[in-house]
Amino acid sequence: QLLSKKILDVPTPEGFTSCYKPALNHSIYALKSINQNIDRPHMVLIHGAIVSRRYMIPTAIELGQSFNVIVPDLPGHGYSSKPVDALSVEEQAEAVRDWLRHNNIERTHLLANSYGCQIVMEIALRYPEVVESLTLVATVADPAAPTIFEQAARLFFDGLFERPSLPFLVMRDMYDLGWKRAYQTAKHMMAYPLKERAERILTRSLVVRGGKDPLVSEKWAEIIAQSLPSGQFVSIAEAPHGVVYCNAERLSEVVHQFILPADG
């Protein structure tokens, strides 16, 4: 465990602390902004497949100026406990819901990237009383690429537009997750009926797509936004799939425009 924490790791950013909390039969590690203020709304950031809370740090830093931010590693990822098999979307949603209870968070805004969008949508569907709003960044999986191989090919192409440091971060997170759980997670992601779930979610929602995202077409992102009864759509020009990692400042502006006016 000590060795794993030294390999290509990312330090806890300034203004954040870390903690472990239980979540059903799991233990979830998370980063939490230090200056928690009761007058600020909560914002929970959920990462995508393979990656961990490390991927969300740039966005966490930006949003930490206005929200009580907390960024967990999903079970199987990062420093969180490692189940033998990857959890399904539904199981991840239940784990995150229980983890919110242990953090005494009764209601929160949820922002997720890629596969994490499926998890927060499932939470909103099962526990709408907990979710203030949804920000869904890069809503996979686009049915135009219906196989894991096609998704992987698009992800490889996406690397041309990402920050040069991203491959090293993905290597570190893959080290934590393991190939078996990574493949199982990809299968869960491909099987999730995103559009059908979106049609049943009444929570106020924002769908965000990077203008250069090869994994999520603009057509697919707009379909998800239109399927959400209270959905909106925003495209961030020149951004890749990893909007949360590469375009955090612009994403933060979009989130503020979406959320804070509604909060007065």
Side-chain angles (χ1 to χ4, degrees):
Q1 185 177 9
L2 290 176
L3 176 63
S4 70
K5 289 189 176 185
K6 294 180 180 179
I7 299 177
L8 297 175
D9 209 351
V10 177
T12 298
E14 184 178 353
F16 285 79
T17 187
S18 61
C19 61
Y20 279 97
K21 294 285 185 180
L24 299 179
N25 297 321
H26 312 284
S27 177
I28 287 183
Y29 176 88
L31 297 179
K32 184 177 182 180
S33 55
I34 293 173
N35 297 322
Q36 298 278 311
N37 188 321
I38 60 172
D39 295 326
R40 288 182 176 182
H42 286 285
M43 172 70 76
V44 175
L45 310 185
I46 302 296
H47 62 78
I50 299 177
V51 292
S52 69
R53 92 272 168 197
R54 302 179 183 99
Y55 187 65
M56 309 297 285
I57 285 175
T59 295
I61 292 171
E62 292 292 333
L63 294 177
Q65 301 174 42
S66 304
F67 298 89
N68 294 324
V69 171
I70 185 164
V71 194
D73 284 336
L74 295 171
H77 300 253
Y79 288 171
S80 291
S81 59
K82 303 295 188 288
V84 174
D85 295 303
L87 303 189
S88 67
V89 173
E90 294 80 5
E91 289 171 331
Q92 292 283 14
E94 290 294 338
V96 173
R97 173 66 187 101
D98 192 57
W99 170 80
L100 289 172
R101 290 191 188 99
H102 285 285
N103 280 279
N104 299 314
I105 298 176
E106 297 180 358
R107 192 163 175 84
T108 183
H109 298 280
L110 294 176
L111 182 151
N113 175 253
S114 195
Y115 165 70
C117 295
Q118 300 180 355
I119 295 167
V120 299
M121 288 171 67
E122 193 66 25
I123 295 171
L125 192 60
R126 295 175 176 224
Y127 305 101
E129 71 281 1
V130 173
V131 185
E132 190 71 40
S133 76
L134 293 176
T135 300
L136 308 170
V137 185
T139 50
V140 294
D142 190 334
T147 67
I148 293 177
F149 175 79
E150 289 171 288
Q151 289 287 324
R154 290 189 177 200
L155 184 62
F156 180 81
F157 181 65
D158 176 67
L160 299 175
F161 309 110
E162 301 280 359
R163 286 168 56 183
S165 59
L166 182 59
F168 299 98
L169 183 145
V170 172
M171 287 171 57
R172 178 62 178 85
D173 286 333
M174 179 62 83
Y175 177 87
D176 286 331
L177 180 62
W179 288 101
K180 175 187 174 183
R181 283 187 293 263
Y183 176 71
Q184 292 171 331
T185 298
K187 289 183 67 176
H188 290 316
M189 179 187 78
M190 297 300 296
Y192 190 76
L194 194 71
K195 182 177 182 296
E196 289 78 1
R197 291 292 198 276
E199 292 169 350
R200 297 165 50 197
I201 295 172
L202 302 180
T203 305
R204 186 166 170 266
S205 305
L206 175 68
V207 175
V208 181
R209 175 187 179 265
K212 289 188 174 180
D213 185 351
L215 277 81
V216 180
S217 66
E218 184 163 341
K219 177 182 178 182
W220 175 243
E222 288 181 336
I223 286 173
I224 297 303
Q226 292 165 5
S227 298
L228 290 157
S230 298
Q232 303 175 38
F233 172 71
V234 171
S235 178
I236 297 180
E238 304 303 313
H241 185 69
V243 177
V244 296
Y245 188 70
C246 301
N247 301 82
E249 185 175 350
R250 179 69 185 113
L251 177 60
S252 176
E253 293 172 359
V254 168
V255 171
H256 280 80
Q257 292 167 6
F258 170 61
I259 292 177
L260 294 185
D263 286 344

